């Protein structure tokens, strides 16, 4: 009985191995081209819902015409200097302009993790 099971089982395992390797090789010979998505975002196909907002890197949006992040003691003067270096814009187009002036503390608070490290 042992000999009979070995003589039947070994060729069946060999065939299984052959077909699994052949199937994996067939998949790799026809790679699918990567799909192009608008703005590098993954596809969004939920009906009735808005797509997620684009990923922001700090204050700047991807594709921003001009972006600056400046630390200054005189915000009015800094805004005037930034205004003087703005790139040229196209007539008839609409632009979103954002401005934020935030006070930075002289001694930033220490995180609890930094206190534990001391």
């Amino acid at each position: 009985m042992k000999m009979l099971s070995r003589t039947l089982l070994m060729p069946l395992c060999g065939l299984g191995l052959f077909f699994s390797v052949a199937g994996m090789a067939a998949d790799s010979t026809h790679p699918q081209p990567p799909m192009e998505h608008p703005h590098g975002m993954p596809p969004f196909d939920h009906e009735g819902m808005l797509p997620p907002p684009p990923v922001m890197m700090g204050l700047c949006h991807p594709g921003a015409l001009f972006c600056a992040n400046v630390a200054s003691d005189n915000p009015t003067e800094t805004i005037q200097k930034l205004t003087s270096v703005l790139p040229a814009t196209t007539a008839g187009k609409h632009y979103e302009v954002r401005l934020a002036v935030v006070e930075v503390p002289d001694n930033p608070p220490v995180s609890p993790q930094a206190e534990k490290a001391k």
Side-chain angles (χ1 to χ4, degrees):
M1 182 71 177
K2 242 185 198 183
M3 192 63 144
L4 181 62
S5 63
R6 283 185 188 166
T7 57
L8 290 176
L9 195 55
M10 291 301 279
L12 289 176
C13 288
L15 283 173
L17 180 64
F18 172 75
F19 285 120
S20 64
V21 170
M24 291 186 67
D27 287 342
S28 64
T29 57
H30 301 290
Q32 297 292 325
M35 293 184 63
E36 291 292 325
H37 302 295
H39 308 293
M41 300 290 289
F44 188 80
D45 55 356
H46 298 291
E47 302 248 349
M49 294 178 64
L50 294 174
V55 178
M56 288 182 56
M57 297 297 194
L59 179 70
C60 303
H61 285 276
L65 182 65
F66 177 78
C67 184
N69 190 2
V70 181
S72 172
D73 292 333
N74 188 345
T76 307
E77 182 180 311
T78 304
I79 292 169
Q80 290 172 349
K81 286 181 182 178
L82 289 173
T83 306
S84 68
V85 296
L86 283 174
T89 57
T90 307
K93 287 191 174 184
H94 298 285
Y95 298 93
E96 177 182 353
V97 179
R98 296 174 182 223
L99 176 67
V101 178
V102 180
E103 182 180 355
V104 179
D106 291 333
N107 298 319
V110 179
S111 69
Q113 295 167 344
E115 289 179 3
K116 288 180 183 178
K118 288 182 181 181

